[in-house]
Amino acid sequence: PVKGRAQKRNAAFRLVGNVVVVVHNAVAPTSEEWEQYIATLFKACKLYGNDLSVCRQYVLTDGGGPNSAQRAASLKAAEQMPHSLLMPVAVVSSSTFVRGIVTAFNWFNMNLKAFSPQDVHKAISFLKIDEPTVQAIYEELTLIEHDIGPVETIQIVREARKRRP
């Protein structure tokens, strides 16, 4: 990092209604960032009566994602949250590496599905997110990009959303 300049983050996590919004650039999250992700999940669990089945997770990534230790930490945390495996998770990315991570998580019977950025409408339909929440998510994505910089997947998804299916 250059002295006097704030280093951009690799990932950001926000709770928008009952949707955990996860954004990664092309770099893996730091350990601190992944701890923030798990804290966001626990916050959602607590807010929604300790039942993550009523929550959704919307992941947008340029290729960054959890390493094996972070994936293990996620699974350990999930064991402590009721119905966490029932929470639908849509992962939107063009990266084949990310799709491999989705496959690995699905070995644990998670409700997880990968989508290309052009198929954003299918991702939102899979998550059953209402339009006001979708609008709030896209407003939050603008703020997230201030934290981590431009994310190509967000730009592609914005363009795809303009083209109604």
Side-chain angles (χ1 to χ4, degrees), residues 28-98:
T30 64
S31 296
E32 177 185 74
E33 288 167 343
W34 202 250
E35 288 170 12
Q36 291 169 355
Y37 163 71
I38 291 176
T40 303
L41 286 179
F42 276 112
K43 178 181 177 182
C45 188
K46 184 177 180 183
L47 282 173
Y48 290 93
N50 290 322
D51 183 358
L52 278 182
S53 68
V54 299
C55 293
R56 276 84 185 96
Q57 200 169 158
Y58 185 46
V59 180
L60 300 159
T61 176
D62 280 353
N67 62 34
S68 60
Q70 291 166 337
R71 289 191 297 272
S74 296
L75 292 171
K76 184 176 180 183
E79 291 172 358
Q80 300 171 42
M81 292 180 254
H83 309 291
S84 62
L85 297 180
L86 298 176
M87 179 175 53
V89 180
V91 178
V92 179
S93 183
S94 299
S95 167
T96 54
F97 174 74
V98 169

